[in-house]
Amino acid sequence: MAIEAGWDPEVGLPLPTPPSMWDEDPDEPAFELPDEAELSWWAELDAAADDPGNEEPGWAVPGVTDEQPSEEGLSARSLAELAELSEAVRAQRLAGARVYRAFTAIRAGNVLAESGYRKLAPLLEDHVRLDRVAVLKLDRHAEALHDTVTPTGATTPASLPATSAAVQDGVVDADHVEVIDKVMTRLRKVSGLDDVCAQDIEDS
């Protein structure tokens, strides 16, 4: 007589069912239903999420809670939006300062020699997807904003140290640097300007 699978021939009772992979781990704490306070909190959270008027962008700057207009006549929402834009622009400018630092390090390091490239522009064009015009502008800006070391080991100080500090603080960006660099380059070519400036300083 064939014995059905899962039955013990000695006692005629079903064999113990092996533990399932879905059975609770005895070392895990038992699940407990949340109390009324927690259920109420989750209900309020769900209601706020479903409210279409409660949708806000992922801002870095917290919204202003005061609903009264400011002295400039701006609402709390407008103040928050302006603050968010200001913070985003500053973050973008700080990222630009980081680009200048990285570019200066690459130019002063061994990347070009180790890569096999003869010039920096094609290297960055291939590896960072920067076009050659952008690389040339970066090169001019980085040289003006940071000290450079000549092949003989001499250090040439930055020609725009004050602008460099403003860049590091996220106050100005590449467009500002471009204008300042052009203006200062033209001013340096004005004959006798240093003497006039020195005289003005003495008179003041």
Side-chain angles (χ1 to χ4, degrees):
M1 180 179 69
I3 300 175
E4 295 182 9
W7 286 81
D8 187 339
E10 295 293 333
V11 296
L13 296 176
L15 293 173
T17 304
S20 169
M21 63 178 293
W22 302 108
D23 289 346
E24 294 184 0
D25 188 340
D27 295 332
E28 291 289 335
F31 174 76
E32 296 181 3
L33 290 174
D35 56 21
E36 291 295 329
E38 186 173 353
L39 288 174
S40 176
W41 182 82
W42 280 108
E44 292 178 3
L45 194 65
D46 291 340
D50 294 336
D51 182 6
N54 195 49
E55 295 180 0
E56 296 288 348
W59 288 350
V61 177
V64 182
T65 57
D66 184 9
E67 296 297 334
Q68 299 298 323
S70 65
E71 295 179 359
E72 295 83 2
L74 297 175
S75 66
R77 183 178 184 85
S78 294
L79 289 172
E81 290 169 349
L82 285 173
E84 170 63 14
L85 178 59
S86 176
E87 190 67 20
V89 169
R90 183 173 182 273
Q92 187 178 45
R93 289 172 177 171
L94 290 173
R98 182 180 176 186
V99 170
Y100 287 135
R101 291 194 299 269
F103 184 90
T104 301
I106 288 176
R107 191 174 60 173
N110 298 322
V111 176
L112 190 61
E114 294 173 356
S115 66
Y117 283 77
R118 295 168 58 183
K119 295 184 178 180
L120 194 56
L123 167 66
L124 297 182
E125 186 177 16
D126 291 344
H127 288 267
V128 195
R129 295 185 296 280
L130 287 175
D131 63 71
R132 302 197 178 198
V133 175
V135 173
L136 291 175
K137 182 182 289 187
L138 266 176
D139 190 57
R140 284 192 294 103
H141 290 183
E143 186 173 2
L145 298 173
H146 297 277
D147 296 347
T148 56
V149 180
T150 64
T152 60
T155 301
T156 302
S159 58
L160 300 175
T163 305
S164 177
V167 169
Q168 299 301 322
D169 292 338
V171 178
V172 298
D173 56 23
D175 292 333
H176 297 96
V177 175
E178 181 71 6
V179 172
I180 295 170
D181 186 38
K182 287 182 178 179
V183 171
M184 295 304 297
T185 299
R186 292 175 181 176
L187 289 176
R188 294 187 191 101
K189 296 179 180 179
V190 177
S191 177
L193 182 61
D194 291 340
D195 296 335
V196 173
C197 292
Q199 186 62 43
D200 288 342
I201 294 174
E202 291 178 4
D203 294 341
S204 60

